[in-house]
Each structure stands twice: as structure tokens, then as C-alpha cells.
Amino acid sequence: MITKLPTMPFYAKLALTLIGIVVLGYLIIIGKEILDPLMFGFLFAILLLPLSNFLENKCRLPRSAGAFISILILIAFIAGICYLVGTRISSLADDWPMLKKQIDQSTADIQQWVESTFHLNMDKQMAYVHTTTNKLMSSGTAVIGQTFLSVSSLMLFFAFIIIFTFLLMLYRRLLLQFVLKVFGQKHTLLVHEIAENIQSIIRQYIIGLLLEMLLVSCIACAVFWIIGIKYAALLGIITGLFNIIPYIGIFTALILSTIITFATGAISKALLVAVCVIAIHAVDANFLLPVIVGSKVRLNALITFLGILIGEMLWGLSGMFLSIPTIAILKIIFDRVETLKPWGYLFGGDYEHKIEAKNQIEIE
């Protein structure tokens, strides 16, 4: 007589799931120094893989040489963007006397407004300013040291990303064979399907994101040039670059663009720039994003926003960048594992309803 094993009740499954999520989150936090550059290296390796394969197959280069040349091209691309932004910022620095004059005038206007509104005379305001300035100057050495450490950590972080990218591209077949051996021969087709889908979706997502960044930068530069902003190119590039960060990046670009415009011109132009940035974001969110990026990663807005917040809580700014690709990878896996399909459906949301409705219409 065969006895059936008792099934685990729902509340027990839920408790185990929550415990697993908490433990996984803790491991992700303490492993940030390794996992953070490793994830960026994984994304860059997926992006550069077609180029590396082309150099290996068509140019008959060794795998190490193909990976190395692909990484050099990536570094040259990033350096070009940094050089473009740096030249624009240097032009902004050349006009520092004018900026200082505008800031002094704006500060005087604000002081007069504070005096008339809160009945706080100039002497008390200046005393507070001098006290704050002395505190900042007393901690100047610590601030400089912290800035140096931050720059050094950032350069080291980039170096780790490049190293991980090269090693992942070099040992990609070894890693794939390891995964195949872990899951067994009966899951070979499933593992290959998941791996191919992850490469395709992530590559299309990154390329779409870069294309969106280019279009937003061009639109912003054109709009700022038309309305007569002095640093139209710099503000347009800033708007496009920060637009990579979903939801939060556009507000950062709005603040920076408004402050720079206010420091170089009238407050009316600063308000006009703020309106233009909001309008550009509306066009991007409703037209560019769904066509260029939204079709690549089928995630609903709720899961996307939650993922960005959780990514920021775990890893800060880099977690915000990595949140959407990570969720997209999880959705690809969930959609192809029978017991995890409800989670994949949750991540897809409205997209899943549209696909089901389309398939139903085609059947009828």
C-alpha cells in the first residue's frame, strides 16, 4: 500500500518563502562588493558577446583576443561620452565669474525675500551663513579625503567590472557547461532556451536603453537650443544620461537643469526649462519608452517601481541600474519553470493579459 506524503499547507510555504527572501536579501547586501561589479560584468559580457563572436569566427582571432578587443571598444565608447560631457563642463567653468555674479544677485534677492517674509534681518542671516561656512571649512580636510576615497573606489569598481567582463566572456562555455551539468541532461533544452532568451532580452534592452538615451539627448538639446539656453548641449546630454535611471533620473535632471539655467539667466528661463524637461519626459514615457524599451522587457509598472526601490535599498545607485535587468532575468526563468509561472505572471501583469487575449483571438 502506497501512502501519499502530506502536502505542506499554504501558510508554511509562505513562511519558508519569506524566510528564503530575507536570507537571500541579507546575502546580497553583504556580498555587494563582489556581486555588484559581477552583475555589471555579466550585462556587459552579454552586450559584447556578438562582437566577440564576430572577431573569433570572421577574423580568426583567439577567444581571449576577441574578448579583449571588444572590451577596448566598450572603454573607448565610454571614454568618448565622458570626454563630451567633460568639454561641456569645462566651458561652464570658464564662465564661473558670470555664474558667481548671478548667484550673488540671486542670494541677495532671496535674503530680501526672507527678511520681508519671516522678519529675519540681514545680520542674523549672515551670522547663520558664516557659522555654517566655518563648520564646512573646519571639516574641509575630511571632505577632501572622503572625495579622494570615493574617486579611488569608483575607479577600482570600474576596474573590477572590466576584469569580470573579460573573464565571463573568456569562460562563457565553461560556465554554460557547469549549469548544464548541475541541472542534468533531461533539462538541457530548457537551460539552453533560458540562456538564449536571457541573452536576447538583455541585449535588446541595453541597446534600446542606449538608443532611448541618444534620442532624449537629441530632443532635449534641440528644445533647449530653440528656447535660447546658453548651455543647451550640456543640459541636453545631462537629461539623456540621467534618463537611464527609471523614474528618479528625470527628476535629478530636472533639478540640475533648472539650477544651471537659473545661475546663467533669468528665473523665467529656469521655469521654462523645467516645463520642457517635464514635457520631454512625458513624450519619452508615453511614446519612446514603450516602443524602444517596453517591447523588450515585459514588466508592469508596479513591479518595476518596487524593483527600483528595493535595488536602491540594497545597493544604492547601482542597484537602481541593475533592478530592471535582474527582474527581467527572473521573469524569463519563472515563465519556463512550471512551479514558478505564477510569479512570472505577476511580473508581466497587463502584458500577460494582452498576450492571452491575442492568442485567444488567433485561435478563434
Coordinates of all heavy atoms in Angstrom, one line a residue, residues 25-106:
G25 N 18.2 38.3 0.6 CA 18.5 39.7 0.7 C 19.7 40.1 1.5 O 20.5 40.9 1.2
Y26 N 19.8 39.3 2.7 CA 21.0 39.6 3.6 C 22.3 39.2 2.9 O 23.3 39.9 2.9 CB 20.8 38.8 4.8 CG 21.9 38.9 5.8 CD1 22.2 40.1 6.5 CD2 22.8 37.8 6.0 CE1 23.3 40.2 7.4 CE2 23.9 37.9 6.8 CZ 24.1 39.1 7.5 OH 25.2 39.2 8.4
L27 N 22.2 38.1 2.2 CA 23.4 37.6 1.5 C 23.8 38.6 0.3 O 25.0 38.8 0.1 CB 23.2 36.2 0.9 CG 23.1 35.1 1.9 CD1 22.8 33.8 1.2 CD2 24.4 35.0 2.8
I28 N 22.8 39.1 -0.3 CA 23.0 40.1 -1.4 C 23.7 41.4 -0.8 O 24.6 42.0 -1.4 CB 21.7 40.4 -2.1 CG1 21.3 39.2 -3.0 CG2 21.9 41.7 -3.0 CD1 19.9 39.4 -3.6
I29 N 23.2 41.8 0.3 CA 23.8 43.0 0.9 C 25.2 42.8 1.3 O 26.1 43.6 1.0 CB 22.9 43.4 2.2 CG1 21.5 43.9 1.7 CG2 23.6 44.6 2.9 CD1 20.6 44.2 2.8
I30 N 25.5 41.7 2.0 CA 26.9 41.5 2.5 C 27.8 41.1 1.3 O 29.1 41.3 1.5 CB 27.0 40.4 3.6 CG1 26.5 39.1 3.1 CG2 26.1 40.9 4.8 CD1 26.7 38.0 4.1
G31 N 27.3 40.7 0.2 CA 28.1 40.3 -0.9 C 28.2 41.4 -2.0 O 28.6 41.1 -3.1
K32 N 27.8 42.6 -1.6 CA 27.7 43.7 -2.6 C 29.0 44.0 -3.3 O 29.1 44.2 -4.5 CB 27.2 45.0 -1.9 CG 27.2 46.2 -2.9 CD 26.8 47.4 -2.1 CE 26.6 48.6 -3.0 NZ 27.9 49.0 -3.7
E33 N 30.1 43.9 -2.6 CA 31.4 44.3 -3.1 C 31.8 43.3 -4.3 O 32.6 43.7 -5.2 CB 32.5 44.2 -2.0 CG 32.3 45.2 -0.9 CD 32.2 46.6 -1.3 OE1 33.0 47.0 -2.3 OE2 31.5 47.4 -0.8
I34 N 31.3 42.1 -4.2 CA 31.7 41.1 -5.3 C 30.5 41.1 -6.3 O 30.8 41.1 -7.5 CB 31.9 39.7 -4.7 CG1 33.1 39.8 -3.8 CG2 32.1 38.7 -5.8 CD1 33.4 38.5 -3.1
L35 N 29.3 41.0 -5.8 CA 28.2 40.8 -6.7 C 27.9 42.0 -7.6 O 27.4 41.8 -8.8 CB 26.9 40.4 -5.9 CG 27.0 39.1 -5.1 CD1 25.7 38.9 -4.3 CD2 27.2 37.9 -6.1
D36 N 28.1 43.2 -7.1 CA 27.8 44.4 -7.8 C 28.6 44.5 -9.1 O 28.0 44.6 -10.2 CB 28.0 45.6 -7.0 CG 27.4 46.9 -7.5 OD1 26.7 46.8 -8.6 OD2 27.4 47.9 -6.9
P37 N 29.9 44.5 -9.1 CA 30.7 44.5 -10.4 C 30.5 43.2 -11.2 O 30.6 43.3 -12.4 CB 32.2 44.6 -9.9 CG 32.2 44.2 -8.5 CD 30.9 44.5 -7.9
L38 N 30.2 42.1 -10.5 CA 30.0 40.9 -11.3 C 28.7 41.0 -12.1 O 28.7 40.6 -13.3 CB 29.8 39.7 -10.3 CG 29.6 38.3 -10.9 CD1 30.7 37.9 -11.9 CD2 29.4 37.3 -9.8
M39 N 27.7 41.6 -11.6 CA 26.4 41.8 -12.3 C 26.6 42.7 -13.5 O 26.1 42.5 -14.6 CB 25.3 42.3 -11.4 CG 24.6 41.2 -10.6 SD 23.8 40.0 -11.6 CE 22.6 41.0 -12.5
F40 N 27.3 43.8 -13.3 CA 27.6 44.7 -14.4 C 28.5 44.0 -15.5 O 28.3 44.2 -16.7 CB 28.3 46.0 -13.9 CG 27.4 47.1 -13.4 CD1 27.3 47.3 -12.0 CD2 26.7 47.8 -14.3 CE1 26.4 48.3 -11.6 CE2 25.8 48.8 -13.8 CZ 25.7 49.1 -12.5
G41 N 29.5 43.3 -15.0 CA 30.3 42.5 -15.9 C 29.5 41.5 -16.7 O 29.7 41.3 -17.9
F42 N 28.5 40.9 -16.1 CA 27.6 39.9 -16.8 C 26.8 40.6 -17.9 O 26.7 40.1 -19.0 CB 26.6 39.3 -15.7 CG 25.6 38.4 -16.3 CD1 26.0 37.1 -16.8 CD2 24.3 38.8 -16.4 CE1 25.0 36.3 -17.4 CE2 23.3 37.9 -16.9 CZ 23.7 36.7 -17.4
L43 N 26.3 41.8 -17.6 CA 25.5 42.6 -18.6 C 26.4 43.0 -19.7 O 26.0 42.9 -20.9 CB 24.8 43.8 -17.9 CG 23.8 43.5 -16.8 CD1 23.2 44.8 -16.3 CD2 22.6 42.6 -17.4
F44 N 27.5 43.5 -19.4 CA 28.5 44.0 -20.5 C 28.9 42.8 -21.3 O 29.1 42.9 -22.5 CB 29.7 44.7 -19.9 CG 29.4 46.1 -19.4 CD1 29.9 46.6 -18.3 CD2 28.5 46.9 -20.2 CE1 29.6 47.9 -17.8 CE2 28.2 48.2 -19.7 CZ 28.8 48.7 -18.6
A45 N 29.1 41.6 -20.7 CA 29.5 40.4 -21.4 C 28.4 40.0 -22.4 O 28.7 39.7 -23.6 CB 29.8 39.3 -20.5
I46 N 27.2 40.1 -22.0 CA 26.1 39.7 -22.9 C 26.0 40.7 -24.0 O 25.8 40.4 -25.2 CB 24.7 39.7 -22.1 CG1 24.7 38.5 -21.2 CG2 23.6 39.7 -23.1 CD1 23.4 38.5 -20.3
L47 N 26.2 42.0 -23.7 CA 26.2 43.1 -24.8 C 27.3 42.9 -25.8 O 27.1 43.1 -27.0 CB 26.3 44.4 -24.1 CG 26.3 45.6 -25.1 CD1 24.9 45.7 -25.8 CD2 26.5 46.9 -24.3
L48 N 28.5 42.5 -25.4 CA 29.7 42.4 -26.2 C 29.8 41.0 -26.9 O 30.7 40.9 -27.7 CB 30.9 42.8 -25.5 CG 31.0 44.2 -24.9 CD1 32.3 44.3 -24.1 CD2 31.0 45.2 -26.0
L49 N 29.0 40.1 -26.5 CA 29.2 38.7 -27.0 C 29.1 38.6 -28.5 O 29.9 37.9 -29.1 CB 28.2 37.8 -26.3 CG 28.4 36.3 -26.5 CD1 29.8 35.9 -26.1 CD2 27.3 35.5 -25.8
P50 N 28.1 39.3 -29.2 CA 28.1 39.2 -30.7 C 29.4 39.7 -31.3 O 29.9 39.2 -32.3 CB 26.9 40.0 -31.0 CG 26.0 40.0 -29.8 CD 26.9 40.0 -28.7
L51 N 29.9 40.8 -30.8 CA 31.1 41.4 -31.3 C 32.3 40.5 -31.1 O 33.1 40.2 -32.0 CB 31.4 42.8 -30.7 CG 32.7 43.5 -31.1 CD1 32.7 43.7 -32.6 CD2 32.8 44.8 -30.3
S52 N 32.4 39.8 -29.9 CA 33.4 38.9 -29.7 C 33.3 37.7 -30.6 O 34.3 37.2 -31.1 CB 33.4 38.5 -28.2 OG 34.4 37.5 -27.9
N53 N 32.1 37.2 -30.8 CA 31.9 36.0 -31.7 C 32.3 36.4 -33.1 O 32.9 35.5 -33.8 CB 30.5 35.6 -31.6 CG 30.1 34.9 -30.3 OD1 31.0 34.3 -29.7 ND2 28.9 34.9 -29.9
F54 N 32.0 37.6 -33.5 CA 32.4 38.0 -34.9 C 33.9 38.1 -35.0 O 34.4 37.6 -36.1 CB 31.8 39.4 -35.2 CG 32.2 40.0 -36.5 CD1 31.6 39.6 -37.7 CD2 33.3 40.9 -36.5 CE1 32.1 40.2 -38.9 CE2 33.7 41.5 -37.7 CZ 33.1 41.1 -38.9
L55 N 34.6 38.6 -34.0 CA 36.0 38.6 -34.1 C 36.7 37.2 -34.1 O 37.7 37.0 -34.7 CB 36.6 39.5 -32.9 CG 36.2 41.0 -33.0 CD1 36.7 41.6 -31.7 CD2 36.8 41.6 -34.2
E56 N 36.0 36.3 -33.4 CA 36.5 35.0 -33.3 C 36.3 34.2 -34.6 O 37.2 33.5 -35.1 CB 35.9 34.2 -32.1 CG 36.3 34.7 -30.8 CD 35.6 34.0 -29.6 OE1 35.3 32.8 -29.8 OE2 35.4 34.6 -28.6
N57 N 35.0 34.3 -35.1 CA 34.7 33.5 -36.3 C 35.1 34.1 -37.6 O 35.6 33.3 -38.5 CB 33.1 33.3 -36.3 CG 32.7 32.6 -35.0 OD1 33.4 31.7 -34.5 ND2 31.5 32.9 -34.5
K58 N 34.9 35.4 -37.8 CA 35.2 36.0 -39.0 C 36.7 36.4 -39.2 O 37.3 36.3 -40.2 CB 34.3 37.2 -39.3 CG 32.8 36.9 -39.2 CD 32.5 36.0 -40.4 CE 30.9 35.7 -40.4 NZ 30.6 34.8 -41.5
C59 N 37.2 37.0 -38.1 CA 38.6 37.5 -38.1 C 39.6 36.4 -37.6 O 40.8 36.7 -37.6 CB 38.7 38.7 -37.2 SG 37.7 40.1 -37.8
R60 N 39.1 35.3 -37.2 CA 40.0 34.1 -36.8 C 40.9 34.5 -35.6 O 42.1 34.1 -35.5 CB 40.9 33.7 -38.0 CG 40.1 33.2 -39.2 CD 39.2 32.1 -38.9 NE 38.4 31.6 -40.1 CZ 37.6 30.6 -40.1 NH1 37.3 30.0 -38.9 NH2 36.9 30.3 -41.2
L61 N 40.4 35.3 -34.7 CA 41.2 35.7 -33.5 C 40.9 34.7 -32.4 O 39.8 34.1 -32.3 CB 40.8 37.1 -33.0 CG 41.1 38.3 -34.0 CD1 40.6 39.6 -33.4 CD2 42.6 38.3 -34.2
P62 N 41.9 34.5 -31.5 CA 41.6 33.7 -30.3 C 40.5 34.3 -29.4 O 40.2 35.5 -29.5 CB 43.0 33.7 -29.6 CG 44.0 34.1 -30.6 CD 43.3 35.0 -31.6
R63 N 39.9 33.5 -28.6 CA 38.8 34.0 -27.8 C 39.3 35.1 -26.9 O 38.5 36.1 -26.7 CB 38.2 32.8 -27.0 CG 36.9 33.2 -26.2 CD 36.4 32.0 -25.4 NE 36.3 30.8 -26.2 CZ 36.0 29.6 -25.8 NH1 35.9 29.5 -24.4 NH2 35.9 28.6 -26.6
S64 N 40.4 35.0 -26.3 CA 40.9 36.0 -25.4 C 41.1 37.3 -26.1 O 40.8 38.4 -25.6 CB 42.2 35.5 -24.7 OG 43.2 35.2 -25.7
A65 N 41.7 37.2 -27.4 CA 41.9 38.5 -28.1 C 40.6 39.1 -28.5 O 40.4 40.3 -28.5 CB 42.7 38.1 -29.4
G66 N 39.6 38.3 -28.9 CA 38.3 38.8 -29.3 C 37.6 39.5 -28.1 O 37.0 40.6 -28.3
A67 N 37.7 38.9 -26.9 CA 37.1 39.5 -25.7 C 37.8 40.8 -25.4 O 37.2 41.8 -25.0 CB 37.2 38.5 -24.6
F68 N 39.2 40.8 -25.5 CA 39.9 42.0 -25.1 C 39.7 43.1 -26.1 O 39.5 44.3 -25.6 CB 41.4 41.6 -25.2 CG 42.3 42.7 -24.7 CD1 42.4 43.1 -23.4 CD2 43.1 43.4 -25.6 CE1 43.2 44.1 -23.0 CE2 43.9 44.5 -25.2 CZ 44.0 44.8 -23.9
I69 N 39.6 42.9 -27.4 CA 39.3 44.0 -28.3 C 37.9 44.5 -28.1 O 37.6 45.7 -28.2 CB 39.5 43.5 -29.8 CG1 41.0 43.1 -30.0 CG2 39.0 44.5 -30.8 CD1 41.3 42.5 -31.3
S70 N 36.9 43.6 -27.8 CA 35.6 44.0 -27.6 C 35.5 45.0 -26.4 O 34.8 46.0 -26.4 CB 34.7 42.8 -27.4 OG 34.7 42.0 -28.5
I71 N 36.2 44.6 -25.3 CA 36.3 45.5 -24.1 C 36.9 46.8 -24.4 O 36.5 47.9 -23.9 CB 37.0 44.7 -23.0 CG1 36.1 43.5 -22.5 CG2 37.2 45.7 -21.8 CD1 36.8 42.7 -21.5
L72 N 38.0 46.8 -25.2 CA 38.6 48.1 -25.6 C 37.7 49.0 -26.3 O 37.7 50.2 -26.1 CB 39.9 47.8 -26.5 CG 41.1 47.2 -25.8 CD1 42.2 47.0 -26.8 CD2 41.5 48.1 -24.6
I73 N 36.8 48.4 -27.2 CA 35.8 49.2 -27.9 C 34.8 49.8 -26.9 O 34.4 51.0 -27.1 CB 35.1 48.4 -29.0 CG1 36.2 48.0 -30.1 CG2 34.0 49.1 -29.6 CD1 35.6 47.0 -31.1
L74 N 34.4 49.0 -26.0 CA 33.5 49.5 -24.9 C 34.1 50.6 -24.1 O 33.4 51.7 -23.9 CB 33.1 48.3 -24.0 CG 32.2 48.7 -22.8 CD1 30.8 49.2 -23.3 CD2 32.1 47.5 -21.9
I75 N 35.4 50.5 -23.7 CA 36.0 51.5 -23.0 C 36.2 52.8 -23.8 O 36.0 53.9 -23.3 CB 37.4 51.0 -22.5 CG1 37.3 49.9 -21.5 CG2 38.2 52.2 -21.9 CD1 38.6 49.2 -21.1
A76 N 36.5 52.7 -25.1 CA 36.6 53.8 -26.0 C 35.2 54.5 -26.1 O 35.2 55.8 -26.1 CB 37.0 53.4 -27.4
F77 N 34.1 53.8 -26.1 CA 32.8 54.4 -26.2 C 32.5 55.2 -24.9 O 32.0 56.3 -25.0 CB 31.7 53.3 -26.4 CG 30.3 53.8 -26.4 CD1 29.8 54.5 -27.5 CD2 29.5 53.5 -25.3 CE1 28.5 54.9 -27.4 CE2 28.2 54.0 -25.2 CZ 27.7 54.7 -26.3
I78 N 32.8 54.6 -23.8 CA 32.5 55.3 -22.5 C 33.4 56.5 -22.4 O 33.0 57.5 -21.9 CB 32.7 54.3 -21.3 CG1 31.7 53.1 -21.4 CG2 32.6 55.0 -20.0 CD1 31.9 52.1 -20.4
A79 N 34.7 56.3 -22.8 CA 35.6 57.5 -22.7 C 35.1 58.6 -23.6 O 35.3 59.8 -23.2 CB 37.0 57.0 -23.1
G80 N 34.5 58.3 -24.8 CA 34.0 59.3 -25.6 C 32.9 60.1 -25.0 O 32.8 61.3 -25.1
I81 N 32.0 59.4 -24.3 CA 30.9 60.1 -23.6 C 31.4 61.0 -22.5 O 31.0 62.1 -22.4 CB 29.9 59.1 -23.1 CG1 29.2 58.3 -24.2 CG2 28.8 59.8 -22.2 CD1 28.2 57.2 -23.8
C82 N 32.4 60.4 -21.7 CA 33.0 61.2 -20.7 C 33.7 62.5 -21.2 O 33.6 63.6 -20.6 CB 33.9 60.4 -19.8 SG 33.2 59.0 -18.9
Y83 N 34.4 62.3 -22.3 CA 35.1 63.5 -22.9 C 34.1 64.5 -23.4 O 34.3 65.7 -23.2 CB 36.0 63.0 -24.1 CG 36.6 64.1 -24.9 CD1 37.8 64.7 -24.3 CD2 36.1 64.5 -26.1 CE1 38.4 65.8 -25.1 CE2 36.7 65.6 -26.8 CZ 37.8 66.2 -26.3 OH 38.4 67.2 -27.0
L84 N 33.0 64.1 -24.0 CA 32.0 65.0 -24.5 C 31.4 65.8 -23.3 O 31.2 67.0 -23.4 CB 30.9 64.2 -25.3 CG 29.8 65.1 -25.9 CD1 30.3 66.0 -26.9 CD2 28.7 64.2 -26.5
V85 N 31.1 65.1 -22.3 CA 30.5 65.8 -21.1 C 31.5 66.7 -20.4 O 31.2 67.8 -20.0 CB 29.9 64.8 -20.1 CG1 29.5 65.5 -18.8 CG2 28.8 64.0 -20.7
G86 N 32.8 66.2 -20.4 CA 33.8 67.0 -19.7 C 34.1 68.3 -20.5 O 34.4 69.3 -19.8
T87 N 34.1 68.3 -21.8 CA 34.4 69.5 -22.5 C 33.3 70.5 -22.3 O 33.5 71.7 -22.2 CB 34.5 69.2 -24.0 OG1 33.3 68.5 -24.5 CG2 35.7 68.4 -24.3
R88 N 32.0 70.0 -22.2 CA 30.9 71.0 -21.9 C 31.0 71.5 -20.5 O 30.7 72.7 -20.3 CB 29.6 70.2 -22.1 CG 29.4 69.7 -23.5 CD 29.4 70.8 -24.5 NE 29.3 70.3 -25.9 CZ 29.4 71.0 -27.0 NH1 29.6 72.3 -26.9 NH2 29.3 70.5 -28.2
I89 N 31.4 70.7 -19.6 CA 31.6 71.2 -18.2 C 32.7 72.2 -18.1 O 32.6 73.2 -17.3 CB 31.8 70.0 -17.2 CG1 30.5 69.1 -17.2 CG2 32.1 70.5 -15.8 CD1 30.6 67.9 -16.3
S90 N 33.8 72.0 -18.8 CA 34.9 72.9 -18.8 C 34.5 74.3 -19.3 O 34.9 75.3 -18.8 CB 36.1 72.4 -19.6 OG 35.7 72.3 -21.0
S91 N 33.6 74.3 -20.3 CA 33.1 75.6 -20.8 C 32.2 76.3 -19.8 O 32.2 77.5 -19.7 CB 32.3 75.4 -22.1 OG 31.1 74.6 -21.9
L92 N 31.5 75.5 -19.0 CA 30.7 76.0 -17.9 C 31.7 76.6 -16.8 O 31.4 77.7 -16.3 CB 29.9 75.0 -17.3 CG 29.0 75.4 -16.1 CD1 27.9 76.4 -16.5 CD2 28.3 74.1 -15.5
A93 N 32.8 76.0 -16.6 CA 33.8 76.5 -15.6 C 34.4 77.8 -16.1 O 34.8 78.7 -15.3 CB 34.9 75.5 -15.3
D94 N 34.6 78.0 -17.4 CA 35.2 79.2 -17.9 C 34.3 80.4 -17.6 O 34.8 81.6 -17.6 CB 35.4 79.1 -19.4 CG 36.4 78.1 -19.8 OD1 37.3 77.8 -18.9 OD2 36.4 77.5 -20.9
D95 N 33.0 80.2 -17.5 CA 32.1 81.3 -17.2 C 31.8 81.5 -15.7 O 30.8 82.0 -15.3 CB 30.8 81.1 -18.0 CG 30.9 81.2 -19.5 OD1 31.9 81.9 -19.9 OD2 30.1 80.7 -20.2
W96 N 32.7 81.0 -14.9 CA 32.5 81.0 -13.4 C 32.3 82.4 -12.9 O 31.4 82.6 -12.0 CB 33.6 80.3 -12.7 CG 33.5 80.4 -11.2 CD1 34.4 81.1 -10.4 CD2 32.5 79.9 -10.4 NE1 34.0 81.0 -9.1 CE2 32.8 80.3 -9.1 CE3 31.4 79.1 -10.6 CZ2 32.0 79.9 -8.0 CZ3 30.6 78.7 -9.6 CH2 30.9 79.1 -8.2
P97 N 33.0 83.5 -13.3 CA 32.8 84.8 -12.8 C 31.3 85.3 -13.0 O 30.7 85.8 -12.1 CB 33.8 85.7 -13.6 CG 34.9 84.7 -13.9 CD 34.2 83.4 -14.2
M98 N 30.8 85.0 -14.2 CA 29.4 85.4 -14.5 C 28.5 84.6 -13.6 O 27.5 85.1 -13.1 CB 29.1 85.2 -16.0 CG 27.7 85.6 -16.4 SD 27.2 85.0 -18.0 CE 27.0 83.3 -17.7
L99 N 28.8 83.3 -13.5 CA 27.9 82.5 -12.6 C 27.9 82.9 -11.2 O 26.9 83.0 -10.5 CB 28.4 81.0 -12.7 CG 28.3 80.3 -14.1 CD1 28.8 78.9 -13.9 CD2 26.9 80.3 -14.6
K100 N 29.1 83.3 -10.7 CA 29.2 83.8 -9.3 C 28.4 85.1 -9.1 O 27.7 85.3 -8.1 CB 30.7 84.0 -9.0 CG 30.9 84.4 -7.5 CD 32.4 84.5 -7.3 CE 32.7 84.9 -5.8 NZ 32.1 86.2 -5.4
K101 N 28.5 86.0 -10.2 CA 27.7 87.2 -10.1 C 26.2 87.0 -10.0 O 25.5 87.6 -9.2 CB 28.1 88.1 -11.3 CG 27.4 89.4 -11.3 CD 27.8 90.3 -12.5 CE 27.0 91.6 -12.5 NZ 27.4 92.4 -13.7
Q102 N 25.8 86.0 -10.9 CA 24.3 85.7 -10.9 C 23.9 85.1 -9.6 O 22.8 85.3 -9.1 CB 24.1 84.7 -12.1 CG 22.6 84.3 -12.2 CD 21.7 85.4 -12.6 OE1 22.2 86.4 -13.2 NE2 20.4 85.3 -12.4
I103 N 24.8 84.2 -9.0 CA 24.4 83.5 -7.8 C 24.4 84.6 -6.6 O 23.5 84.5 -5.8 CB 25.4 82.4 -7.5 CG1 25.3 81.3 -8.5 CG2 25.3 81.9 -6.0 CD1 26.3 80.2 -8.4
D104 N 25.3 85.5 -6.6 CA 25.3 86.6 -5.6 C 24.1 87.4 -5.7 O 23.4 87.7 -4.6 CB 26.6 87.4 -5.7 CG 27.8 86.7 -5.4 OD1 27.8 85.7 -4.7 OD2 28.9 87.1 -5.9
Q105 N 23.7 87.7 -6.9 CA 22.4 88.5 -7.1 C 21.2 87.8 -6.6 O 20.3 88.3 -6.0 CB 22.3 88.9 -8.6 CG 21.1 89.8 -8.9 CD 21.1 91.1 -8.1 OE1 22.1 91.7 -8.0 NE2 19.9 91.5 -7.6
S106 N 21.2 86.5 -7.0 CA 20.1 85.6 -6.5 C 20.0 85.5 -5.0 O 19.0 85.5 -4.4 CB 20.2 84.2 -7.2 OG 20.2 84.4 -8.6

